[in-house]
């Protein structure tokens, strides 16, 4: 069992608080700001065990120092980013497991958006906290890594069980979906998904989490083999990596 609380903050960021009821262990993932996190902790009478970062960007680590000072939590992040994550004191490597009570959290390195980006996968809870690597119908921009690196990272996430819930760090779904439709207009699953997304956003509701299954069926960055998509961007028969690279370029100027 795992309780998951989603906190919308700033323009479009999501902070996640996860709580393992048996042990009482609690972790916060990518806190941009401290006060809404502290409010929840107080309300629920939870004490913070871990602060987990996916990468070093300010909208993911903004509250590291304050939360560590206030709660005494440990701050865990990628060893690759040890010099640029505020207050970090536990360095994580690809493939390592971190325990939250009885729950095992697997660290998966996903370079691309940044070089040290990692994601947190909890198989027992069927949950993936993927920061800015995989978004609903999109993927992160290439700030530091190459298209090839991000493509390889996404192949790892593609291989997770289909029922895995995807908790990404931004509410970018509607814009991502508009891009997805522009490159794969005949995808009926995508059309229907966008209708649901538009309805949710009209009501100011979150579109997150999605699932690996939904992403496989409608995220263009996982769908290089779609004939409709290949045809629309004029890349029939090209390699998956070449198509991915072109999609990332097109999304940047969308
Ligand atoms: Zn970022
Ligand atoms: Fe971000």
């Amino acid at each position: 069992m795992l309780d998951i609380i989603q906190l919308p903050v700033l323009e479009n960021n999501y902070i996640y608080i996860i709580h393992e009821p048996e042990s009482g262990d609690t972790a916060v993932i990518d806190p941009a700001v401290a006060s809404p996190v502290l409010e929840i902790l107080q309300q629920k009478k939870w004490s913070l065990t871990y602060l987990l970062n996916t990468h070093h960007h300010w909208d993911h680590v903004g509250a590291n120092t304050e939360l560590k000072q206030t709660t005494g939590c440990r701050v865990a992040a990628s060893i690759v980013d040890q010099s640029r994550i505020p207050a970090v004191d536990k360095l994580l490597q690809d493939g390592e497991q971190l325990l939250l009570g009885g729950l095992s959290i697997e660290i998966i390195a996903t370079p691309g958006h940044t070089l040290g980006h990692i994601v947190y996968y909890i198989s027992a809870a069927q949950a993936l906290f993927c920061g800015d690597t995989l978004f609903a119908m999109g993927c992160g921009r290439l700030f530091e890594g190459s298209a090839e690196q991000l493509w390889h990272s996404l192949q790892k996430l593609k291989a997770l069980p289909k029922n895995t819930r995807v908790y990404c760090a931004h509410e970018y779904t509607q814009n991502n979906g508009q891009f997805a439709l522009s490159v794969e207009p005949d995808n009926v699953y995508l059309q229907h998904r966008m209708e649901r997304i538009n309805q949710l956003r009209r009501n100011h509701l979150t579109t997150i989490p999605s699932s690996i299954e939904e992403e496989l069926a409608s995220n263009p960055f996982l769908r290089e083999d779609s004939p409709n998509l290949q045809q629309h961007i004029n890349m029939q028969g090209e390699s998956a990596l070449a198509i991915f690279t072109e999609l990332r370029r097109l999304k940047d100027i969308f």
Side-chain angles (χ1 to χ4, degrees), residues 55 57 59-60 113-114 117 132 143 170:
H55 65 295
H57 285 158
D59 60 319
H60 300 254
H113 176 68
T114 65
H117 199 297
D132 290 359
F143 281 117
H170 289 275

